């Protein structure tokens, strides 16, 4: 639906595409972000369709086959077998000839046929009527629904309002947070107050996103400021650092913790949820003592929530939270993967559950998913701060409070927490800056961008290598999920297939190529 095609049409298009686009197969939510980036770059629909089919097939092979290569003949059954594009993807990825990947005529109902065959082999002692079975099933579903009771969400008190913008004074400090989903800029004065900010989508184009955000912030300032310090953060921090000639790039945890320390020095736990990742930070006496990040599961992130809100026909920023607060009986969605939450949602919609209950249930699901997958067994302290774009959603804030049984504070401008934290870190360094910040005080320099696919693991990230052309050219990378290029591992050795390694090791000394050396045996005489 996201590409405006039905499944059959998508399959037909994918089957004839010449160059399938590269897309993430990790999760439906991440795949959708890739899809949006490709559409923004005017990638042809057939290539996008083929990219989706190949991503699905690669994900299946990586997560289900786990290194075991299916040997022909291979049966392809289940509803997805109807898709010509996925059929093609399996054929090409497994290098199977046309007749070695078989789609049985009854591919859609093979599971049901199998179950019927089992039933035939062990028939019931007393036959039951089909209508009785349907009745029992309906009872089971309502019992399951009644088993989980979620309290209605309570509107959290308004803790703080944002301080009024301040004047520029002798100079300002700049923080740039370039994330995979959004790019944020914060300009603060010497007394730490926000002078201006910008927030926009990164859309897979970090250079353009930085340029646009800096221009926007400049338009909001009364005059050209004197920048006394500039720090970058986020997954695109190295690109932003070289691009703007900022002073330093810091990781997201450091920037988030710095903002938390400024806003609530007594906070001991920071929940941070952004567009595509989330973090848990534990603080003691203003210092980070533990942290955990989740970049792999989208179920507890902003992209997921946005996706579900649009499925319900709601604007995530305007209508979602107010609908959730009207619910008297939030629906239980579980806290599993997005795909399963999706089916829970469809199930509730089909049963006519009010949209208010679904919004409240989704807010609970995001909070529970975060607590289970990111926090796990780590401690949640007494003073909890909630930052990142999702913290603007008061329903999710209320869900955290309800589950944790304590107040969860949201600072002003939670969506800018990383950028303001970076600006505060720039101020901590002191007014040592030499030369203009490019993009703000002077135009951005020339850049050259090369895009390549990393084959280091099954994510197959599309990585951008950005070279800032200057007297001393500098390179930075954007788009790698694990950050290996940023760490200087430019030519990573692809991980071995563990099964192939085991096979090689087991058979090594049986190959007959030279007698194995067994050492010397001595006999006392
Ligand atoms: S090794 Fe890292 S950069 Fe390469 S595909 Fe895997 S996650 Fe992406």
């Amino acid at each position: 639906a996201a590409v405006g095609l039905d499944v059959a049409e998508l399959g037909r298009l994918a089957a004839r595409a010449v160059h399938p686009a590269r897309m993430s197969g990790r999760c439906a939510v991440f795949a959708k972000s890739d899809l949006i980036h490709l559409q923004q770059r005017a990638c042809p629909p057939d290539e996008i369709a083929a990219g989706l089919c190949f991503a699905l097939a690669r994900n299946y092979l990586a997560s289900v086959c786990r290194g075991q290569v299916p040997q022909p003949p291979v049966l392809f059954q289940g509803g997805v077998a109807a898709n010509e594009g996925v059929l093609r993807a399996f054929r090409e990825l497994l290098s199977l000839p046309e007749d070695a990947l078989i789609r049985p005529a009854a591919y859609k109902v093979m599971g049901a046929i199998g179950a019927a065959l089992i039933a035939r082999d062990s028939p019931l002692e007393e036959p039951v009527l089909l209508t009785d079975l349907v009745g029992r099933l309906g009872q089971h579903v309502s019992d399951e629904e009644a088993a989980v009771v979620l309290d209605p969400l309570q509107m959290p008190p308004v803790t703080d309002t944002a301080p009024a913008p301040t004047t520029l004074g002798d100079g300002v400090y700049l923080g740039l947070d370039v994330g995979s989903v959004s790019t944020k800029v914060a300009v603060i004065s010497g007394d730490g107050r926000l002078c201006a900010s910008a927030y926009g989508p990164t859309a897979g184009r970090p250079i353009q996103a930085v340029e646009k955000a800096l221009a926007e912030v400049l338009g909001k300032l009364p005059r050209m400021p004197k920048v006394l310090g500039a720090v970058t953060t986020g997954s695109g921090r190295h690109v932003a650092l070289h691009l703007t000639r900022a002073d330093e790039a810091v990781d997201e945890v450091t920037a988030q913790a710095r903002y938390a320390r400024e806003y609530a020095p007594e906070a001991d736990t920071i929940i941070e949820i952004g567009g595509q990742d989330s973090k848990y930070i534990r603080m003691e006496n203003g210092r980070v003592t533990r942290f955990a990040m989740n970049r792999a599961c989208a179920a507890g992130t902003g992209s997921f929530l946005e996706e579900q809100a649009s499925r319900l026909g709601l604007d995530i920023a305007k209508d979602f939270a107010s609908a959730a607060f009207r619910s008297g009986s939030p629906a239980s969605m579980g806290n599993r993967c997005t795909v399963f939450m999706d089916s829970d949602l469809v199930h509730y919609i089909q049963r006519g559950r009010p949209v208010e209950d679904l919004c409240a249930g989704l807010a609970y699901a995001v909070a529970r998913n975060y607590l289970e997958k990111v926090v796990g067994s780590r401690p949640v302290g007494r003073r909890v701060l909630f930052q990142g774009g999702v913290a603007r959603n008061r329903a999710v804030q209320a869900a955290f409070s309800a589950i944790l049984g304590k107040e969860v504070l949201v600072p002003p401008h939670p969506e800018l927490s990383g950028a303001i934290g970076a600006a505060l870190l720039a101020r901590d360094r002191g007014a040592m800056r030499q030369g203009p910040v490019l993009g703000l005080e002077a135009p951005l320099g020339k850049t050259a961008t090369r895009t390549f696919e990393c084959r280091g693991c099954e994510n197959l990230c599309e990585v951008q290598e950005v070279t800032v052309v200057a007297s001393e050219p500098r390179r930075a990378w954007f788009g790698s999920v694990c950050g290996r290029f940023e760490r200087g591992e430019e030519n990573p050795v692809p991980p071995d297939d563990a099964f192939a390694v085991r096979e090689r090791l087991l058979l090594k000394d049986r190959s007959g190529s030279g007698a194995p050396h067994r050492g010397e045996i001595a006999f006392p005489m």
Side-chain angles (χ1 to χ4, degrees):
V3 272
L5 302 169
D6 65 30
V7 178
E9 201 180 343
L10 182 135
R12 277 195 297 277
L13 270 184
R16 62 169 195 249
V18 181
H19 301 293
R22 275 292 167 200
M23 295 184 67
S24 168
R26 283 178 294 152
C27 154
V29 176
F30 295 142
K32 181 155 183 228
S33 306
D34 286 355
L35 192 146
I36 292 167
H37 295 168
L38 289 166
Q39 285 172 327
Q40 283 163 341
R41 280 190 240 152
C43 184
D46 60 334
E47 294 183 10
I48 296 181
L52 277 168
C53 297
F54 273 81
L56 188 148
R58 273 199 308 269
N59 186 280
Y60 173 88
L61 294 174
S63 55
V64 181
C65 298
R66 292 173 178 258
Q68 308 247 38
V69 181
Q71 297 301 316
V74 177
L75 270 185
F76 185 17
Q77 53 195 52
V80 176
N83 189 309
E84 297 294 333
V86 181
L87 200 69
R88 168 194 170 179
F90 275 123
R91 248 187 219 124
E92 289 186 20
L93 292 172
L94 294 172
S95 308
L96 292 172
E98 192 82 9
D99 57 353
L101 185 64
I102 302 160
R103 180 170 55 183
Y107 63 89
K108 280 188 189 163
V109 290
M110 293 293 276
I113 293 174
L117 289 171
I118 293 170
R120 188 193 57 181
D121 295 344
S122 49
L124 292 173
E125 283 175 13
E126 277 186 43
V128 282
L129 286 173
L130 205 55
T131 44
D132 288 350
L133 276 181
V134 173
R136 275 192 231 165
L137 201 60
Q139 184 56 42
H140 173 71
V141 172
S142 17
D143 287 351
E144 245 186 16
E145 278 176 19
V148 185
V149 179
L150 297 172
D151 291 333
L153 293 171
Q154 303 298 323
M155 177 74 83
V158 176
T159 40
D160 245 328
T161 49
T166 185
T167 55
L168 303 185
D170 294 339
V172 296
Y173 298 89
L174 180 75
L176 266 138
D177 180 0
V178 183
S180 48
V181 173
S182 56
T183 292
K184 289 81 64 178
V185 175
V187 174
I188 63 166
S189 59
D191 62 2
R193 302 230 313 238
L194 192 66
C195 305
S197 65
Y199 184 105
T202 305
R205 299 175 178 193
I207 301 172
Q208 289 85 345
V210 168
E211 192 171 19
K212 190 161 178 267
L214 287 174
E216 185 183 331
V217 103
L218 193 57
K220 291 178 180 171
L221 291 167
R223 61 179 160 83
M224 174 65 81
K226 175 164 178 46
V227 181
L228 304 175
V231 167
T232 64
T233 189
S235 55
R237 60 187 177 274
H238 296 288
V239 171
L241 172 79
H242 298 323
L243 206 58
T244 60
R245 302 229 186 105
D247 305 317
E248 191 186 1
V250 298
D251 61 74
E252 296 103 305
V253 171
T254 306
Q256 292 290 343
R258 180 64 189 87
Y259 181 47
R261 208 168 73 227
E262 189 76 6
Y263 172 71
E266 73 289 1
D268 53 15
T269 306
I270 304 167
I271 295 170
E272 195 271 334
I273 306 184
Q276 276 195 357
D277 60 21
S278 42
K279 299 170 204 72
Y280 153 90
I281 306 171
R282 178 86 175 146
M283 312 265 291
E284 272 168 42
N285 302 321
R287 304 180 84 88
V288 176
T289 52
R290 300 173 84 160
F291 71 88
M293 288 180 79
N294 179 13
R295 288 191 201 271
C297 174
T301 64
S303 302
F304 167 72
L305 213 50
E306 209 171 319
E307 169 93 22
Q308 301 306 330
S310 84
R311 172 191 281 256
L312 296 174
L314 298 174
D315 183 322
I316 185 73
K318 291 194 195 129
D319 322 314
F320 183 91
S322 50
F325 286 120
R326 287 198 301 274
S327 164
S329 171
S332 171
M333 306 273 175
N335 54 349
R336 300 164 294 160
C337 164
T338 52
V339 177
F340 297 119
M341 285 200 215
D342 246 19
S343 355
D344 285 353
L345 198 71
V346 171
H347 160 78
Y348 283 128
I349 292 171
Q350 283 165 348
R351 293 175 71 82
R353 194 81 185 246
V355 80
E356 289 81 2
D357 292 354
L358 303 182
C359 292
L362 282 166
Y364 268 111
V366 166
R368 282 169 58 189
N369 185 284
Y370 171 90
L371 291 170
E372 191 147 304
K373 299 233 170 76
V374 186
V375 179
S377 57
R378 299 174 186 92
V380 174
R382 282 176 302 173
R383 199 73 168 141
V384 182
L385 204 55
F386 183 17
Q387 303 184 159
V390 175
R392 286 180 67 89
N393 191 316
R394 307 206 73 208
V396 180
Q397 179 190 5
F400 271 119
S401 286
I403 298 169
L404 295 171
K406 57 185 79 177
E407 189 184 6
V408 172
L409 283 175
V410 172
H413 314 297
E415 74 286 7
L416 298 173
S417 47
I420 300 178
L424 288 166
L425 287 162
R427 192 187 62 163
D428 296 346
R429 291 167 56 96
M432 296 163 31
R433 185 163 177 82
Q434 306 283 326
V437 170
L438 304 189
L440 195 70
E441 297 167 292
L444 285 182
K446 275 196 175 163
T447 53
T449 305
R450 173 178 81 95
T451 303
F452 63 94
E453 181 185 278
C454 173
R455 292 176 173 261
C457 75
E458 73 270 13
N459 279 340
L460 299 176
C461 296
E462 190 178 284
V463 182
Q464 287 179 43
E465 183 188 83
V466 177
T467 305
V468 178
V469 184
S471 50
E472 278 178 47
R474 294 173 185 187
R475 277 188 306 164
W477 292 266
F478 182 78
S480 95
V481 168
C482 66
R484 69 191 320 169
F485 297 94
E486 288 81 347
R487 291 196 301 272
E489 301 167 31
E490 280 181 56
N491 298 306
V493 181
D496 271 316
D497 171 351
F499 290 97
V501 171
R502 183 187 63 177
E503 198 87 343
R504 209 167 51 231
L505 290 173
L506 280 173
L507 299 179
K508 193 170 79 173
D509 290 336
R510 294 224 214 138
S511 59
S513 57
H517 178 69
R518 298 186 148 217
E520 286 171 9
I521 302 172
F523 295 96
M525 303 289 286

